[in-house]
Amino acid sequence: MNGLAPTFDEAALLAGESRPVPATLDAFLAQVERRAFRVAELHLGHREDALDAVQDAMLRLVRHYRDKPPAEWMPLFWGILRRRVVDLQRRRKVRSIMVGWLGGGVDENGDERPAWEPADNAPGPLDRLRDAQSYADLAAAVRKLPRRQREAFILRVLEGLDVAETAQAMGCSEGSVKTHLSRAMHNLRDQLEDWR
């Protein structure tokens, strides 16, 4: 189409240049807040869950890592947020299974049991951006990636962490980050062929 999809220089991403880190924790949190929300919403597909995940990650960073050097905040924060997102996804899955077993139908008195309603996954504010269709297509393609590829792509491409920071946030080696990112880029190129 019109070249609306972002183009990524895979070699530059794999090389990994980092952005400057603010000197105060408050400035760091202000800098990362919007991007963290976008990342969490992309993973969770639900605005309120994303807000909860980001808030929890920020609180944990402040409570437990306030005294760490500023250079360590970025990978620490993204690692905390990644784990919080995974926790929320697991809880959602367990809740879905439990409610499926327990909810709905008729009880022993003939009264209707409350049925579980899944979370409203209506488009959030990011889908209403100026270029909503290209964003929606990219988001859908990213959601289809395997979890580790999705994490590597989001942290390296959307967040801009370098390879070492991404590896620390994901809890894996730098080589694994490069492999996951390369596979993610290949998958996304295939899925977004119409936007070339």
Side-chain angles (χ1 to χ4, degrees), residues 15-113:
E17 298 172 14
S18 61
R19 60 177 66 141
V21 179
T24 68
L25 190 55
D26 288 339
F28 169 77
L29 293 174
Q31 177 191 51
V32 78
E33 178 180 25
R34 286 180 185 250
R35 291 176 309 193
F37 170 73
R38 287 190 298 242
V39 167
E41 187 180 40
L42 195 59
H43 278 293
L44 296 167
H46 190 260
R47 177 180 171 79
E48 286 75 24
D49 286 349
L51 289 169
D52 288 344
V54 171
Q55 182 179 22
D56 188 50
M58 289 180 164
L59 287 172
R60 288 177 193 224
L61 183 71
V62 170
R63 285 183 188 146
H64 301 290
Y65 301 106
R66 165 181 293 284
D67 298 327
K68 293 283 186 181
E72 293 181 22
W73 293 337
M74 187 75 72
L76 284 169
F77 174 76
W78 288 106
I80 293 167
L81 182 60
R82 180 185 65 82
R83 288 185 297 277
R84 183 65 182 130
V85 164
V86 169
D87 286 346
L88 286 170
Q89 289 169 332
R90 286 180 185 151
R91 285 185 186 152
R92 186 183 292 166
K93 184 174 183 176
V94 168
R95 182 176 49 219
S96 171
I97 291 168
M98 293 301 293
V99 171
W101 288 339
L102 302 175
V106 178
D107 65 14
E108 62 278 353
N109 296 329
D111 295 329
E112 192 170 320
R113 291 184 187 147

